[in-house]
Amino acid sequence: MNPTIRLVLGDQLNPLHSWYTTTSKNITYVFIECKEEASYAPHHIQKVVGIFTSMRDFAQRLRDQGHQVWYHHILDSTAAELSSILYSACQEIGSSSVVCQEPDEYRVKQYLQKLNSTTLHLSFESSEHFISSPSEFQEMFKGKKSFLMETFYRKLRKRTGLLMDGKEPHGGKWNLDHQNRKKLPKNHLLPPVYLPITDVTEVYRDVQQAGLRTIGTLQDPKQFYWPTNTDQAWEVFDHWLNHKFGLFGDFQDAMTVKDWALYHSRISFALNTKMIDPLEVCRRAENKYRSDPSIALNAAEGFIRQILGWREFMRSVYWTSMPDFASVNYFNHKSDLPDWFWTGKTKMKCQEHTITQSLQYGYAHHIQRLMVTGNFALLAGIDPDQVDQWYLGIYVDAFEWVEITNTRGMSQYADGGKIATKPYVASANYMNKMGDYCTNCSYDHKTKTETNSCPLNTLYWDFFDRNRSKLDTNFRLGMVYRTYDKMGPELKDQIRKRAHYVHEHLNEL
Ligand code: FAD
Ligand code: DLZ
């Protein structure tokens, strides 16, 4: 019988996949560390090291269970492409039949499909990871120009029974987001975090020796703190459930210079590499909520909505909108990303803190991504291609299906409103309301036209002014335009002049 190869990509480390229920001498699992996958974007060093370490760990566990494994380490050959290494695997194993799990990225799916030929037979099977399917989504939004996450989320709540009492949403309301907007009190003490520790010295050295171009830092390879296997990932999550879940809702949108994750769970890397199952994550969250009266409903609903709602929703938007989605640019934005996005060296405290922590940890929480860096990029009119490249590289959890939908769609409104009902933009007023960045900032968060006015204030009004024809019919923006129209011509002129200066000096802010 012709042996079979099962290709396991770096974000397919799902130990519960039905592939692994039986062992067979006729099936070989192939893992490929390669330059091609490690360089399609300028990845954060912690992302590359995290993925290689997790792949090596997963492969070893399969060997221990008696499976056949063929593993290409990054230094095993000079071959850079996934395809050429896969052909070598086929030759060595003596097989021309490769089965893959459905890749999450359009780019990779196209790439693998092209390898299917008379000499290599390639087929796809489900990754058995997601709760919903793009076809279910398509059916739901047939003929619609925009997609409402809330509609999708409610359907999935009903189907999965998560946070449901019979046919009704538990607690009577589907969505408690309005309760999740508190600022962190001044002397608030954050509970402890659990960071699993893995020594990644060897992988780190391999990555350096291979000459992979990466960004960001990895301070101590002996103490790598992202989960690199399923056991560690559940430890992180269960610790979070016991110590942070209760206030996840209240402080979901809070920002502070004092911490890099606040009440967020930091499970996105483990989820996106499929070490843990999203439905099981939601079930554990619901069980904890139902058995522990200290966990508030706004925390439980808010958390489950992120995974059952947003994460599943974004995946389906991606698969039903690609490849066109990758080039949409509704506002025709063309400016270059300021150099300080790669260094954090800017006088704007909010940007400086968010970017510096992103370079240091490969992580920023959702509101930092959306309302700090994303907000700036949109207000400043940065080319969405450059914004995408930055987000695709900088975070350990960045994979195109969930990065591009959040970046081009939710954050940059480059899809013209398929995902978000209005652009997520804010002036310094919001920053100051939700966080402590404006204290000790070089810029004045209260003014908009002075030489030291916070650039966000000037750019905010300029954004609405220059995009009026595209936005003023949006019913959610009526109030913004009414406020703007009450400003006198002199003030408007000053805003335009200061905005012009800011646009011309983005690198010096
Ligand atoms: P928590 O706040 O604890 O939330 C729990 C989980 O919910 C997350 O792990 C994630 O799986 C899911 N989730 C939360 N918000 C979203 C969302 N908007 N879309 C999809 N899933 C969500 N998430 C990624 O996983 N990869 C990315 O590349 C990515 N890029 C982003 C880019 C921008 C511009 C923005 C605004 C958001 C992006 N997000 C991305 C979504 C979100 O910011 C991260 O999932 C979250 O910050 C991860 O941290 P956490 O695990 O502590 O999340
Ligand atoms: C992100 C990534 C990196 C950095 N390196 C590899 C790799 O060397 N080998 C591999 O199989 N996968 C890697 N990945 C994850 C892939 O890019 C991922 O499988 C695709 O993005 C599909 O979602």
Side-chain angles (χ1 to χ4, degrees), residues 388-441:
D388 260 337
Q389 276 292 299
W390 188 79
Y391 277 102
L392 191 54
I394 192 92
Y395 295 120
V396 291
D397 59 29
F399 294 90
E400 192 188 65
W401 65 274
V402 57
E403 173 281 322
I404 200 170
T405 40
N406 271 290
T407 303
R408 281 209 185 230
M410 183 190 273
S411 161
Q412 300 302 293
Y413 203 77
D415 59 357
K418 255 184 166 181
I419 295 175
T421 49
K422 71 177 174 80
Y424 280 98
V425 285
S427 65
N429 189 32
Y430 175 87
M431 294 302 153
N432 195 43
K433 196 170 98 194
M434 295 310 302
D436 53 14
Y437 291 137
C438 301
T439 324
N440 299 327
C441 180

Side-chain angles (χ1 to χ4, degrees), residues 97-322:
S97 168
V98 177
V99 188
C100 312
Q101 291 178 26
E102 284 286 351
D104 285 340
E105 294 193 8
Y106 186 86
R107 170 188 66 84
V108 178
K109 175 95 191 246
Q110 298 282 305
Y111 180 101
L112 290 173
Q113 270 172 336
K114 278 194 196 133
L115 301 184
N116 201 10
S117 64
T118 44
T119 47
L120 189 124
H121 180 255
L122 203 136
S123 59
F124 295 97
E125 289 179 8
S126 166
S127 68
E128 300 176 6
H129 173 79
F130 292 97
I131 304 166
S132 61
S133 70
S135 55
E136 183 184 2
F137 176 95
Q138 230 160 357
E139 186 60 31
M140 214 181 281
F141 294 104
K142 213 173 2 193
K144 296 270 189 309
K145 278 199 182 127
S146 57
F147 317 121
L148 208 57
M149 195 285 291
E150 190 64 25
T151 314
F152 174 84
Y153 168 58
R154 290 182 189 188
K155 287 230 160 111
L156 284 192
R157 285 269 296 273
K158 284 183 200 154
R159 175 154 74 69
T160 58
L162 281 164
L163 281 184
M164 295 295 292
D165 293 334
K167 288 189 172 159
E168 297 304 314
H170 176 70
K173 290 198 172 113
W174 290 103
N175 184 319
L176 301 174
D177 203 28
H178 61 283
Q179 292 180 29
N180 295 358
R181 290 173 197 153
K182 294 198 178 83
K183 187 175 181 165
L184 207 66
K186 230 181 187 166
N187 296 318
H188 184 85
L189 267 187
L190 286 157
V193 279
Y194 171 71
L195 299 174
I197 298 300
T198 308
D199 184 345
V200 296
T201 310
E202 201 179 303
V203 178
Y204 181 60
R205 201 189 48 220
D206 288 358
V207 170
Q208 308 281 77
Q209 254 181 45
L212 297 178
R213 193 170 68 90
T214 57
I215 51 171
T217 52
L218 170 54
Q219 233 169 5
D220 184 0
K222 285 197 183 318
Q223 303 201 35
F224 189 75
Y225 40 73
W226 294 106
T228 54
N229 59 52
T230 297
D231 295 341
Q232 286 184 346
W234 284 126
E235 279 162 24
V236 169
F237 184 63
D238 290 338
H239 187 275
W240 175 85
L241 275 182
N242 288 326
H243 296 272
K244 293 202 167 190
F245 184 29
L247 290 178
F248 171 83
D250 280 9
F251 300 122
Q252 193 181 349
D253 285 6
M255 297 177 276
T256 179
V257 289
K258 293 183 202 134
D259 193 69
W260 58 282
L262 285 97
Y263 284 89
H264 295 272
S265 64
R266 292 174 296 110
I267 56 162
S268 46
F269 176 73
L271 269 174
N272 294 351
T273 49
K274 306 188 180 60
M275 286 176 200
I276 52 176
D277 179 66
L279 191 56
E280 173 67 11
V281 167
C282 293
R283 290 211 173 108
R284 285 194 192 194
E286 174 164 7
N287 288 343
K288 175 72 181 165
Y289 161 74
R290 294 213 187 239
S291 62
D292 181 346
S294 76
I295 309 293
L297 179 56
N298 65 313
E301 188 282 315
F303 182 75
I304 288 173
R305 177 162 23 91
Q306 301 316 305
I307 296 174
L308 184 67
W310 282 112
R311 186 170 186 266
E312 293 288 322
F313 177 76
M314 290 309 205
R315 171 169 178 260
S316 278
V317 170
Y318 178 78
W319 281 104
T320 51
S321 310
M322 284 295 278

Side-chain angles (χ1 to χ4, degrees), residues 49-116:
V49 168
I51 286 178
F52 286 5
T53 307
S54 308
M55 287 168 75
R56 291 181 191 189
D57 185 296
F58 191 77
Q60 187 53 45
R61 280 164 200 260
L62 291 188
R63 280 188 207 102
D64 294 345
Q65 289 163 13
H67 296 287
Q68 311 291 309
V69 172
W70 187 96
Y71 198 105
H72 181 274
H73 298 84
I74 192 73
L75 295 175
D76 281 351
S77 74
T78 51
E81 289 92 24
L82 187 94
S83 55
S84 60
I85 302 168
L86 183 59
Y87 289 134
S88 303
C90 289
Q91 269 188 345
E92 277 182 38
I93 296 161
S95 169
S96 57
S97 168
V98 177
V99 188
C100 312
Q101 291 178 26
E102 284 286 351
D104 285 340
E105 294 193 8
Y106 186 86
R107 170 188 66 84
V108 178
K109 175 95 191 246
Q110 298 282 305
Y111 180 101
L112 290 173
Q113 270 172 336
K114 278 194 196 133
L115 301 184
N116 201 10

